[in-house]
Amino acid sequence: FFSSVSFFPALPFSLNTKRWKQNKKAAASTLLMMQTALPCLLLLSSSSASSSSSSAAASTTSTSTTTTLELVGGTDASAAPPADYARLVLLPTLRRAFARPSSPSISPAPSSPSPSPSPSPSPSTPLFDVDLRVRRRGFFPRGQGEVFLTVKSLPRGATLPPIALQRSAKEKEAISVEVSAFSAGEAVPQEAAEAAAEACVRSLLDSGAVTSREQVSVSVLRLRTPEEAVGDGGGVIAVAKVKKAGGGGEGEGGEESEVLLLGSAQPLSPPPKNKKQRTETTRKTTTTAASSSSYSPAPSTPAEVGAGVGADLARDLLSSSPSSSEGGSGRAAATDRWLQDQLVIFMALAKGKSRVETCAPLTEHTRSAIAVAEALTSARFRVVEESGSESRSGGVCVIECEGAG
């Protein structure tokens, strides 16, 4: 038995290399590749400074490294975050969470630093500067989707500020939802995307998460050329924007300030060709739903997929807890269940105390991510689960983390 494991990471490439390509030659998830690479690329300059022979001088030089990854594989898979979820929920949430550095010393440097001392960077320069573009969709089994991830690393010596995502169950809110669906290939026609989008809207209305169709916008896209998509597939995503009623000015980068984003998404797959394939598809879908703590049964038709996406988002939106013993006025979920585990590594790497109020129960992915983060870093987590305030809603889970910095 091992009592400890020592890990000494080293850069396997030159920092002068600005562009990398990863081609899995199959439908492996490009977004799982992104999740692996993103934290490393964010801390690239800081890591290089610590390993440099002139680390003392490097730590005082506020420089950043911009790297672009071309990821080739699947963009919309059943057991991984789809590209649109990362683009519309994960990255905008991190952008807002890290909008204000914790101290002036960690403000990003200008993109083209000069050898001589340069003026202090503009406060409007984003600390979290990450861009994700989907050039082409790719589905099982061929893959060949193309995703481009561009990351500007933190300046040398910089740290991520703590994350604070909280939502009151008592304050009035303005909620709007964007439902988007797309289809590609002969086996997944445009009618499939339309059925999924409509079912998603009906599910949101039936649940009471939204009270009128005026709160929901719908878009349906048909991808027709090989440059847009390879193979047969599609997807549906619903993203809710939650802000205090009457509030929400324009924040950094032209985005609304103090806006919480909750989402749910699922792929649209071609119908099974035979009974054996249908049985295998049902088994895999059921396993995926169970492992991700989905509240919805395994879907089989586009309408059922869309209804499940709407139901999952509605339950997360409605998740709340009554007034707590801490003297609060009751909490509501500030993130959906899919985002909670993806935030863990950033909470662990941040400097200071992060607090995220999310829907309960925690997913197994989140529990595993916390266990791994605590094993590999000095970050320490505290989790408190509170029961739901209504029978139709789930409870709220508070995740606190004293980050490793």
Side-chain angles (χ1 to χ4, degrees):
F1 296 96
F2 291 97
S3 58
S4 65
V5 175
S6 298
F7 177 53
F8 302 96
L11 293 174
F13 52 84
S14 168
L15 290 178
N16 293 325
T17 304
K18 305 299 184 184
R19 192 181 186 94
W20 292 87
K21 181 176 181 178
Q22 177 66 51
N23 188 346
K24 302 305 291 184
K25 302 184 184 301
S29 171
T30 54
L31 273 295
L32 292 183
M33 298 183 228
M34 185 209 78
Q35 287 181 336
T36 302
L38 179 54
C40 302
L41 294 178
L42 274 176
L43 301 179
L44 197 57
S45 294
S46 296
S47 300
S48 64
S50 63
S51 62
S52 170
S53 59
S54 57
S55 58
S59 63
T60 60
T61 305
S62 184
T63 59
S64 295
T65 299
T66 300
T67 307
T68 297
L69 299 184
E70 180 183 353
L71 305 174
V72 182
T75 58
D76 298 85
S78 59
D84 288 334
Y85 183 90
R87 185 173 61 87
L88 299 176
V89 180
L90 172 62
L91 295 182
T93 296
L94 290 174
R95 226 170 264 131
R96 291 183 175 96
F98 299 139
R100 290 180 292 275
S102 57
S103 67
S105 63
I106 69 170
S107 298
S111 57
S112 302
S114 59
S116 58
S118 55
S120 300
S122 168
S124 63
T125 304
L127 181 66
F128 184 84
D129 194 349
V130 178
D131 179 64
L132 182 71
R133 292 187 300 110
V134 181
R135 174 180 288 181
R136 183 170 64 189
R137 304 276 180 171
F139 314 105
F140 179 84
R142 295 172 62 188
Q144 299 184 36
E146 295 180 355
V147 172
F148 290 84
L149 176 71
T150 302
V151 181
K152 184 176 181 181
S153 66
L154 301 183
R156 290 173 181 171
T159 56
L160 292 170
I163 296 174
L165 294 173
Q166 302 174 52
R167 178 180 165 211
S168 171
K170 301 298 182 181
E171 293 182 346
K172 291 184 177 181
E173 299 173 329
I175 298 177
S176 60
V177 180
E178 296 180 4
V179 176
S180 303
F182 75 94
S183 63
E186 294 182 0
V188 184
Q190 181 170 343
E191 291 77 11
E194 293 171 348
E198 177 58 27
C200 181
V201 174
R202 287 200 308 269
S203 183
L204 288 166
L205 289 168
D206 292 343
S207 68
V210 295
T211 56
S212 71
R213 279 188 174 262
E214 282 68 32
Q215 293 175 258
V216 185
S217 62
V218 179
S219 63
V220 177
L221 180 64
R222 178 64 177 167
L223 306 180
R224 303 180 184 278
T225 68
E227 289 74 29
E228 295 175 306
V230 175
D232 299 311
V236 56
I237 182 171
V239 179
K241 292 184 177 182
V242 182
K243 60 180 179 179
K244 295 178 183 179
E250 288 295 317
E252 185 174 314
E255 295 180 305
E256 292 175 330
S257 60
E258 298 185 9
V259 173
L260 298 172
L261 298 174
L262 288 81
S264 181
Q266 288 292 336
L268 295 174
S269 302
K273 295 180 180 179
N274 51 57
K275 184 176 180 180
K276 180 179 179 181
Q277 189 181 47
R278 185 179 298 108
T279 301
E280 182 67 11
T281 301
T282 301
R283 185 187 66 79
K284 289 182 178 180
T285 307
T286 303
T287 302
T288 301
S291 64
S292 60
S293 298
S294 175
Y295 299 114
S296 302
S300 59
T301 67
E304 290 175 338
V305 172
V309 168
D312 287 349
L313 177 57
R315 185 172 176 98
D316 292 349
L317 274 172
L318 295 171
S319 291
S320 62
S321 65
S323 298
S324 66
S325 57
E326 299 177 13
S329 59
R331 281 183 271 273
T335 83
D336 58 74
R337 82 199 67 169
W338 315 110
L339 186 63
Q340 54 183 236
D341 70 283
Q342 299 180 65
L343 295 177
V344 168
I345 188 170
F346 298 101
M347 297 172 72
L349 294 175
K351 183 177 182 180
K353 187 174 184 178
S354 295
R355 180 185 175 98
V356 173
E357 296 175 0
T358 186
C359 52
L362 286 188
T363 67
E364 291 303 314
H365 282 124
T366 304
R367 296 185 186 279
S368 298
I370 290 175
V372 171
E374 288 191 326
L376 296 182
T377 73
S378 60
R380 289 298 174 261
F381 286 81
R382 174 176 175 264
V383 176
V384 178
E385 291 196 27
E386 301 175 351
S387 59
S389 59
E390 299 179 27
S391 59
R392 65 173 180 169
S393 70
V396 171
C397 191
V398 180
I399 306 175
E400 294 180 342
C401 174
E402 192 64 45

